[in-house]
Amino acid sequence: MSQKAPIRVLVTGAAGQIAYSLVNFIAKGDVFGTDQPLDLILLDIKLMMEVLGGVVMELKDCALPLLREIVATDDYEVAFKDIDVAFLVGAMPRKQGMERKDLLTANVTIFKGQGQALDKYAKKNVKVIVVGNPANTNALICSKYAPSIPKENFTAMTRLDQNRAMAQIAERLDCNVNDVNKVIIWGNHSATQYPDVRFATAVKNGATVNAEEAIKDDNFLKNDFISMIQKRGAAVIAARKLSSAMSAAKASCDHIKDWWFGTGDRWVSMAVPSDGSYGIKEGLVYSFPVICTGGDERKYKIVQGLKIDDFSRSKMDLSAKELEEEREMALSVCKD
């Protein structure tokens, strides 16, 4: 058995459908390694505690050797105490007739409270991924209310969008998805995101090629491809009658695993607080291409020096404008 000390991992919205896949990925070692014991903290609202009890029963029945302790709770102090990593999955879903402002208002309240709990109870080097939508703005609000934790420790998930884009390119080029690299998701995890393949590479017939040149269809890449990735979530809902769950869980695991262990020479897309790179206003939580370094520091660095053409600039600015509007709307709800 591993001699490593257990880490404490929190999953919020733990009785929901994304978490149902996510907790198993985490507990069996897919994220932090097959030699890393962990305590799994599961948070949900009081109304869902009976359902959450069933999830705990199933986790126990999986007989997972890395899983040292399972804590199911609706108490923020219990949930956030001394955690190393937080998967913030739980959020108010958009309901029929609900306006975007209504959704933002409901979720700002949730993520303000969770930010305050992180600030008060969590380790100061805690790593946070926000999955619950609107993910970028929820991450910004969460960070605002956790001032003792570095801003760069708060991220939002656009890896699902990257994975979707990589899968489409691999299918188009008839290659393995692992052989596709440097696909970028710029901006918001919303219908304004910009999936950019200008720098993407793929291994085709044993040779590394530029994906854009190999596809040889500029009209497809600038129109149908972008629209397909932007609207993929809606397409899943239309087909499945439920939102993306398994793929969202997998993507959040990919995000944290790469942050934890490093990416080498691969680029991954993460929504992170902007430092002004590529003309994006400082502080906005915006998706960039990053390279992660593992080890004790576990940092990420925005890939610099990429040429932004006029088409890309317009797409990137559109998403930034949406995020600025979301931020102002969210801050107006907070009022403090």
Side-chain angles (χ1 to χ4, degrees), residues 18-87:
I18 293 175
Y20 190 71
S21 293
L22 175 58
V23 293
N24 186 49
F25 286 143
I26 294 170
K28 67 189 182 73
D30 288 356
V31 183
F32 302 104
T34 55
D35 64 344
Q36 178 58 67
L38 54 89
D39 299 333
L40 195 54
I41 321 301
L42 307 177
L43 174 70
D44 217 309
I45 59 175
K46 190 176 292 291
L47 186 66
M48 299 302 294
M49 292 310 292
E50 184 176 354
V51 175
L52 189 55
V55 175
V56 171
M57 290 166 65
E58 285 212 72
L59 277 169
K60 289 179 178 179
D61 293 348
C62 286
L64 297 160
L66 295 173
L67 193 50
R68 299 298 175 86
E69 184 181 11
I70 309 169
V71 177
T73 184
D74 61 355
D75 185 320
Y76 274 17
E77 181 174 359
V78 173
F80 288 90
K81 182 69 173 174
D82 294 332
I83 55 170
D84 296 281
V85 180
F87 289 80

Side-chain angles (χ1 to χ4, degrees), residues 1 16 43 102 199 220 252 255 277 312 331 333:
M1 291 296 294
L43 174 70
D102 298 329
F199 308 98
F220 166 73
S252 66
H255 176 119
S277 292
S312 299
L331 292 175
V333 173

Side-chain angles (χ1 to χ4, degrees), residues 185-261:
I185 303 296
W186 300 99
N188 198 4
H189 176 60
S190 76
T192 69
Q193 65 176 267
Y194 169 41
D196 181 1
V197 301
R198 293 174 303 132
F199 308 98
T201 62
V203 177
K204 182 76 172 168
N205 299 322
T208 300
V209 297
N210 177 275
E212 188 177 44
E213 293 174 2
I215 290 172
K216 298 177 182 174
D217 190 341
D218 199 50
N219 182 58
F220 166 73
L221 291 174
K222 287 188 173 180
N223 293 285
D224 289 351
F225 171 75
I226 291 174
S227 179
M228 182 192 310
I229 304 308
Q230 290 174 336
K231 299 175 181 177
R232 185 68 165 185
V236 170
I237 291 173
R240 189 174 173 258
K241 315 309 177 193
L242 293 167
S243 60
S244 305
M246 177 172 52
S247 57
K250 163 65 164 51
S252 66
C253 290
D254 291 342
H255 176 119
I256 291 293
K257 182 179 180 180
D258 282 338
W259 195 359
W260 199 258
F261 289 107

Side-chain angles (χ1 to χ4, degrees), residues 243-292:
S243 60
S244 305
M246 177 172 52
S247 57
K250 163 65 164 51
S252 66
C253 290
D254 291 342
H255 176 119
I256 291 293
K257 182 179 180 180
D258 282 338
W259 195 359
W260 199 258
F261 289 107
T263 56
D265 63 354
R266 290 182 303 111
W267 298 0
V268 295
S269 295
M270 293 170 59
V272 303
S274 175
D275 59 2
S277 292
Y278 298 103
I280 303 304
K281 286 187 179 179
E282 190 170 347
L284 277 185
V285 176
Y286 189 97
S287 184
F288 294 96
V290 306
I291 292 173
C292 303

